[in-house]
Amino acid sequence: MPSARSGSADAEARKFCCEGCRAVARLLATARLDREFYALKGERVSPVKPRLDAAEEYGALDEAPFRGDRRAGAELEFFLEGIHCAACVWILEKLPELAPGVESARLDFGRAVLRVRVSAEGSFAETARLLVRLGYRPHPVRTPDEADARLRASDRATLRRMGVAAFAAMNVMIYSISLYAGVDGGEATLFRALSLATALPALTYGAWPFYRAAWTALRAGRISIDLPISLAFIGGFAESARQAWLGTNLLYLDSVTSLVFLMLGSRYVLARLERAETSKSGLLRALLPAHVERIRAAGGADGTERVRAESLRAGERFRLGEGMRVPADAKVVAGGGYVDLAFLTGESKPTRVVPGDPVWAGSRFLDGEAVAEVVASPADSRLGRLQARLDGWVVKRSARTERSDRWAAIFLAAVLGFAGLMLALYGAADPAEAVRRSLSLLIIACPCALALATPLTLARAFRAAAANGILLRDPDVLDRVAEIRTVYFDKTGTLTRGDPSVREWRWLRELPHGERIEALSAAYTLEAGARHPYGRAIARALEDTPGVRPLAADVFTETGGAGRLMLVDGVSYRIGRPDTRHFEEPVVEFARDGRAIAWISLEDAPRREAADVVARVRRRGLRARIFSGDAELPVARAAREAGVSEWAAGLSPEGKRAAIADAQADHGPALAIGDGVNDALALAEAHVGAAVTRGGGEANLESALASAQVALLGTDLGALPDLFEISDRYRRTLARNAIFSALYNLAGASLAVSGVVHPLVAAIAMPVSALTVYASTVLGFQRPLRREGR
Amino acid sequence: MNIVFVLAPLSLGLAAVFVAFFFRSVDRGQFQDLETPARRMLSDDNDRKE
C-alpha cells in the first residue's frame, strides 16, 4: 500500500511498498476508482505480499474441468489469499467494472471465497490475472457443483424449520401464559385448541429431521441420540393433547416447541462450524505447478509443449528452469542445479542435483537448467501419497455436544417422569394442587444450558479464535489443548521466518568507502530481479543502505548454477556459490574481476516473537522442545535464541512422527506446531497438531493444514498462547453454565414440587434463566485476549 | 371478551404471514453469508443490482 496516505492524484509519484501496490494504484487510477479505494483503506493494513508470480499460468481455467462449454457463461469459485478488510470486499465486487466479460463477483468474506460469473466472452484466466495484479493470489476452488447446492438447500431447510419452531414456541408461550394466569370456560378451550394447532407444525415439519434420523438409525439396528429426543417430542405432544381433551391446563407444549427450536438451532450452528473446514485436496494444488513444459517424444530442436501438470505420466520428460516447482517425482537426466527441499525435509540449505539424482514433486528448483524424467506421476508421487493419507482424516463431531444432546433428552424425560409421578402420588389427595405443582415443575425446568449453550459456547470460542487468526477444524481441540504437557516446535518456518536473510557481510579485504558503496550497488543491481531466495535476501538487505543505487550494467548473465554475473564499466561482478571453500552454513561469494572480495552468510532468522512465545508456553508449566529436519548447527542456534534447551535435528518426516509418539508415551499428550509437509505426519500423530504460516510469506500453509486440527493463519506465532487462553475460557464458560444450570434446575424443581412458585412465576423464571446462560456465554469471551510482550 | 375469539386466530394468521416472509428471505440466501454484508455496506454506492 502507499506508504504515505496522500491524495490519490498521482499514483506514479507516491512511494509503494511493492510492485503489486503500484500496479493496483495504477489500475485503480485508470478505472477512476482510486479515490474511493484509498478513502476506505484504513491505516492498519498488513503489507501485501510482494511475491506475486506474474509467470503463473491460469490458462487452464478456461478449459475443462473448470469450464465445460466455452461458448456459454460459467461460474467459478476462487479462494483468495490476502483478504484483509472492507476495502477488499469493495474492490473485488467491482470486478465487473474492471474486467470485460465478468458478469458478477461476490465475495464471502468469512471463507475468503470469491464467486465469479463470466459471460460467454469472459475468461477465468483473465480474471485470475487481474486478481493477481490486484494483489490477491487466487486458487480456483471448484465450480459450484451439486454437492454444494445440496448443502445450501439443507442449510435453508434447517433455517425454515427453525423459523417455524420459533414461531410456534413464541405463540404457544403467549397462550400458555393466559392459561397459567387462570382463564377458564370457552376462552380456555380456545387457547388450548390454538396451542395444539400452533404446536403441530413445529412438531411435524420442524422436528422432522430428528424423526427421520432416529428411524434411519433404528432400521440399521442402532439407537441414536435422536430417538430419545423424538420420543420426548412425540410423548410431550401426545400427553398435552390428552390433557387438552380432558380439559385441564396441564399442557407443556411451550417447553416442547422451545426444545424443538433449541435443538434445531444447535444442529444448525454445528453444521456451519463443520463447514468451516477447508478443502481437503488443497495440498497437491498448492504445491504443484499448473503447467509444465513437457518435451515431445518426437520433437524438433526445442520440442517442448505446455501441458497440465496432472497429465504427466511416468517416463515422460519435462524441462526445469529457475524458480519452477517440480511437478512429479522425477530423475534428472540432463543439466543440474539446486533444489529447495525445505517443504519436504525442513533442510534450510538448497540441495545440489546432478544427472541421476531424484527430485521430488512439490520442491522448488532454485537455479540451473535441467531435464528430468518422470518416475511417479503427480498423484503417485511422495507428495500425492501423503495427500491420500491425509484425506483419510475426517472431522469428527464434538464429543461434548453429543454428550450434551444426550443429557438434554434424559433431562426432559426425567422432568416428565417426575411430573407424572407427582400426579400419580398426590392426584387423589388434592387434584388441583397436584396439577398446579407438576405444571410449575414442567415450566420451570430448562435444558437451555445443555441444548443450546454448549454449541453456543463452542461457536463463541471459534469466533474468538478466528478473530485472532486461529482456525479450528475439530471442536474437541479446545478440550484437548488443556491436556497438553509438551509443546514441540518445528524450526524452519515456525520458530524462524522460513525465508533466508543476510546475517553478515565478511569483507575479505579493506575497501575505501566510495569503492565499497560502488561494490554494494553492484551487488544490489545483480540481485534486484533475482528469484533465488538468497538473491532476494541480498537485494532486500541492500535496499535501504544509504548510497546504494542500481547501476547500468553493460552485460548481464545468469550462469546457471554458478550465480549471476555482470559487467559495469569494464569491471565484472559476480555473486554465486563459493567454489573454493566449504561452509557449514549457507554462504555466497561476492567477486570482483574474478577475485572474491566478500562472503555473505545467510541465515533463516528467528521470528521476533519466538522467544516470547516459548517463555509464555513455559509459564503454563509446559515443556518446550524443538524438532527439526535441518542440520545440527542452525537448529542449535535457533534453540539458543528461542530459549529452548531440548532439541533434535536431522529428523525425517517419519522420524518426527516417531519422536512425537515416544514423547506422548513418556510425558503425556503433546502439541506439535509446524509449517510444512515435512511436519504433516507429526501433526497428525500429536494430541493436537497446529499448522502455522511462514513468516516469510510463502503460502505453504495448506499442506500442513491438511493434517492439523488447528491453523494459525496470522504471521504471528503469538496465536499459540492465544489458543491456550481461548481453550481456558471455553472450558471455564462451559463449567460455569453447567453449574448454574444444575443449581437453577435443582432449586427450581424443589420450589415447584414444594408448591412455593406459581406456574406464572415459573413461566417468567424459565426464560430469565435461559438469558442468564446466554449472557454468561457471551461474556465469557468478551474480554480481549491479553497479549504480553509487545 | 368475545372479541378474543376473533383476534387470537387473526394474530395467528398475521404471524403466518411473517413466517412466509421469513421463508422468502431464507430462499434468497440472506442467511448464507452473515459476515460480508456488514462490510459491504461500508462502500457507499447504492446501485447494486443483486
Side-chain angles (χ1 to χ4, degrees):
Chain A
M1 283 300 111
S3 51
R5 279 215 310 155
S6 57
S8 56
D10 188 8
E12 304 299 318
R14 277 175 297 158
K15 223 183 144 190
F16 291 93
C17 65
C18 63
E19 263 318 298
C21 294
R22 186 192 300 281
V24 172
R26 223 179 273 143
L27 205 64
L28 287 171
T30 323
R32 303 193 175 283
L33 293 173
D34 50 344
R35 193 174 295 276
E36 288 171 76
F37 181 76
Y38 289 114
L40 266 179
K41 201 94 179 176
E43 294 276 6
R44 287 186 61 244
V45 283
S46 40
V48 173
K49 277 183 207 129
R51 310 224 276 101
L52 292 168
D53 244 332
E56 196 136 5
E57 269 296 334
Y58 291 104
L61 293 187
D62 284 322
E63 297 156 16
F66 293 110
R67 203 161 177 186
D69 185 2
R70 272 235 60 164
R71 281 156 304 172
E75 227 175 40
L76 183 62
E77 288 189 348
F78 289 100
F79 171 77
L80 298 181
E81 285 179 45
I83 300 281
H84 303 301
C85 59
C88 297
V89 180
W90 182 83
I91 187 69
L92 286 169
E93 298 196 341
K94 277 275 188 277
L95 274 185
E97 292 174 32
L98 293 170
V102 174
E103 278 179 348
S104 75
R106 299 290 278 180
L107 179 71
D108 184 333
F109 191 88
R111 295 191 302 146
V113 166
L114 181 74
R115 179 186 283 243
V116 176
R117 177 158 191 89
V118 297
S119 64
E121 300 85 53
S123 149
F124 286 133
E126 281 304 317
T127 313
R129 282 183 209 120
L130 178 66
L131 288 171
V132 170
R133 273 188 285 151
L134 286 171
Y136 307 98
R137 187 193 286 267
H139 300 284
V141 181
R142 60 195 165 145
T143 43
D145 56 6
E146 268 174 56
D148 205 37
R150 256 206 311 278
L151 219 56
R152 190 158 300 179
S154 101
D155 253 7
R156 290 185 180 173
T158 310
L159 270 175
R160 274 196 221 107
R161 291 183 209 277
M162 278 168 70
V164 168
F167 152 80
M170 294 297 167
N171 281 289
V172 170
M173 254 181 236
I174 295 173
Y175 306 139
S176 306
I177 286 192
S178 326
L179 288 175
Y180 306 151
V183 291
D184 50 13
E187 276 143 28
T189 314
L190 169 72
F191 285 128
R192 283 195 285 265
L194 279 176
S195 293
L196 283 173
T198 317
L200 200 59
L203 283 158
T204 48
Y205 173 72
W208 188 250
F210 296 101
Y211 303 150
R212 199 182 42 206
W215 178 240
T216 315
L218 264 187
R219 280 182 43 176
R222 285 181 302 113
I223 292 193
S224 75
I225 173 68
D226 298 289
L227 185 66
I229 294 175
S230 303
L231 287 181
F233 289 162
I234 296 172
F237 184 76
E239 177 60 16
S240 299
R242 196 176 72 91
Q243 296 293 343
W245 182 252
L246 294 176
T248 76
N249 284 349
L250 253 185
L251 273 52
Y252 19 85
L253 290 170
D254 53 342
S255 306
V256 175
T257 46
S258 313
L259 197 68
V260 173
F261 172 70
L262 291 175
M263 289 299 213
L264 282 170
S266 139
R267 296 276 160 104
Y268 181 70
V269 169
L270 288 173
R272 282 190 80 114
L273 278 186
E274 280 166 28
R275 204 78 45 75
E277 174 209 3
T278 37
S279 83
K280 278 190 200 152
S281 51
L283 185 57
L284 280 174
R285 199 172 46 236
L287 288 173
L288 290 184
H291 280 81
V292 289
E293 285 182 38
R294 184 170 66 187
I295 294 172
R296 282 201 204 102
D302 55 347
T304 64
E305 57 185 343
R306 294 189 79 79
V307 295
R308 291 164 53 79
E310 297 96 275
S311 64
L312 276 181
R313 293 287 163 266
E316 290 179 336
R317 295 183 171 194
F318 59 92
R319 205 183 67 78
L320 278 174
E322 187 185 285
M324 285 185 184
R325 284 272 185 206
V326 178
D329 286 356
K331 194 175 72 191
V332 177
V333 290
Y338 278 75
V339 176
D340 177 12
L341 283 173
F343 93 98
L344 204 59
T345 61
E347 167 96 59
S348 59
K349 228 164 113 179
T351 314
R352 188 182 164 80
V353 290
V354 293
D357 284 345
V359 285
W360 307 106
S363 54
R364 193 180 273 277
F365 201 71
L366 289 174
D367 53 30
E369 285 269 339
V371 172
E373 188 178 297
V374 179
V375 175
S377 69
D380 290 332
S381 66
R382 236 172 122 176
L383 181 68
R385 286 201 307 270
L386 200 59
Q387 170 76 56
R389 281 189 67 173
L390 296 177
D391 275 351
W393 263 271
V394 277
V395 180
K396 289 163 288 174
R397 274 204 66 189
S398 160
R400 217 188 248 270
T401 0
E402 218 149 74
R403 216 155 47 224
S404 78
D405 269 12
R406 197 158 48 234
W407 277 106
I410 294 173
F411 178 89
L412 197 67
V415 170
L416 286 176
F418 256 116
L421 197 67
M422 196 153 59
L423 269 186
L425 290 180
Y426 300 105
D430 184 352
E433 186 60 20
V435 164
R436 203 174 65 87
R437 290 186 187 188
S438 11
L439 191 57
S440 296
L441 174 63
L442 289 175
I443 298 161
I444 209 161
C446 170
C448 309
L450 299 162
L452 195 54
T454 304
L456 198 67
T457 311
L458 199 58
R460 292 292 299 186
F462 266 62
R463 253 193 103 99
N468 287 283
I470 305 167
L471 195 74
L472 301 167
R473 279 181 74 194
D474 182 347
D476 290 331
V477 163
L478 290 167
D479 279 320
R480 261 184 273 154
V481 161
E483 298 157 14
I484 296 300
R485 300 266 67 92
T486 315
V487 176
Y488 271 86
F489 292 94
D490 169 46
K491 183 192 77 79
T492 317
T494 303
L495 283 177
T496 66
R497 297 170 42 80
D499 208 22
S501 57
V502 173
R503 200 163 97 89
E504 195 190 356
W505 280 78
R506 251 177 289 163
W507 293 99
L508 298 178
R509 59 173 121 147
E510 279 305 311
L511 293 181
H513 180 72
E515 215 175 306
R516 177 180 294 197
I517 291 296
E518 184 72 14
L520 288 177
S521 297
Y524 177 67
T525 314
L526 268 173
E527 298 294 359
R531 291 177 78 174
H532 192 292
Y534 291 0
R536 278 202 310 267
I538 293 171
R540 219 169 31 233
L542 290 173
E543 226 162 33
D544 298 324
T545 312
V548 169
R549 65 196 190 285
L551 303 177
D554 298 326
V555 184
F556 197 107
T557 49
E558 278 182 38
T559 56
R564 297 160 85 91
L565 185 75
M566 70 171 186
L567 214 56
V568 178
D569 298 330
V571 184
S572 79
Y573 292 94
R574 186 188 80 96
I575 293 185
R577 271 187 312 283
D579 18 48
T580 47
R581 264 181 66 172
H582 177 74
F583 293 92
E584 272 285 302
E585 55 190 339
V587 165
V588 294
E589 184 182 84
F590 182 32
R592 188 176 63 183
D593 283 335
R595 291 186 57 193
I597 54 171
W599 279 329
I600 309 159
S601 67
L602 295 117
E603 65 165 352
D604 186 6
R607 290 177 189 249
R608 257 182 309 128
E609 70 277 11
D612 181 47
V613 167
V614 170
R616 286 175 68 184
V617 163
R618 280 259 175 71
R619 219 168 303 147
R620 280 184 69 94
L622 308 180
R623 290 145 44 92
R625 285 183 156 192
I626 293 178
F627 64 151
S628 176
D630 205 353
E632 291 221 354
L633 186 76
V635 176
R637 186 188 294 150
R640 200 170 54 241
E641 275 160 0
V644 179
S645 52
E646 294 171 280
W647 50 268
L651 296 173
S652 65
E654 290 78 12
K656 283 191 179 185
R657 186 179 64 175
I660 297 280
D662 289 349
Q664 297 203 123
D666 294 345
H667 305 291
L671 181 148
I673 176 166
D675 77 310
V677 177
N678 60 323
D679 304 308
L681 290 175
L683 297 191
E685 176 74 32
H687 199 53
V688 177
V692 65
T693 36
R694 294 190 149 204
E698 174 92 354
N700 205 356
L701 174 73
E702 275 186 81
S703 50
L705 192 63
S707 68
Q709 305 106 318
V710 184
L712 311 182
L713 297 174
T715 48
D716 191 335
L717 214 54
L720 181 67
D722 289 349
L723 174 64
F724 284 109
E725 170 79 22
I726 289 169
S727 153
D728 287 349
R729 287 190 189 185
Y730 167 73
R731 292 162 51 84
R732 233 176 6 239
T733 307
L734 279 186
R736 190 168 57 211
N737 287 349
I739 291 171
F740 170 80
S741 179
L743 288 180
Y744 163 82
N745 280 308
L746 271 178
S750 337
L751 291 178
V753 171
S754 56
V756 177
V757 287
H758 188 269
L760 198 56
V761 179
I764 295 165
M766 193 267 242
V768 168
S769 89
L771 285 178
T772 312
V773 170
Y774 299 151
S776 139
T777 305
V778 170
L779 289 177
F781 290 93
Q782 205 64 355
R783 208 157 32 86
L785 294 181
R786 175 185 62 243
R787 287 210 162 181
E788 304 159 30
R790 78 176 74 166
Chain B
M1 276 295 271
N2 276 344
I3 191 70
V4 140
F5 287 89
V6 180
L7 285 182
L10 213 61
S11 75
L12 210 58
L14 189 65
V17 172
F18 288 129
V19 170
F21 275 124
F22 175 71
F23 273 32
R24 205 172 108 99
S25 64
V26 168
D27 286 337
R28 293 191 153 202
Q30 287 191 20
F31 298 90
Q32 206 72 50
D33 173 8
L34 300 174
E35 221 170 318
T36 320
R39 296 165 194 270
R40 190 176 285 140
M41 67 170 201
L42 289 175
S43 49
D44 45 29
D45 42 4
N46 298 314
D47 52 1
R48 192 166 295 288
K49 275 155 272 163
E50 232 180 304

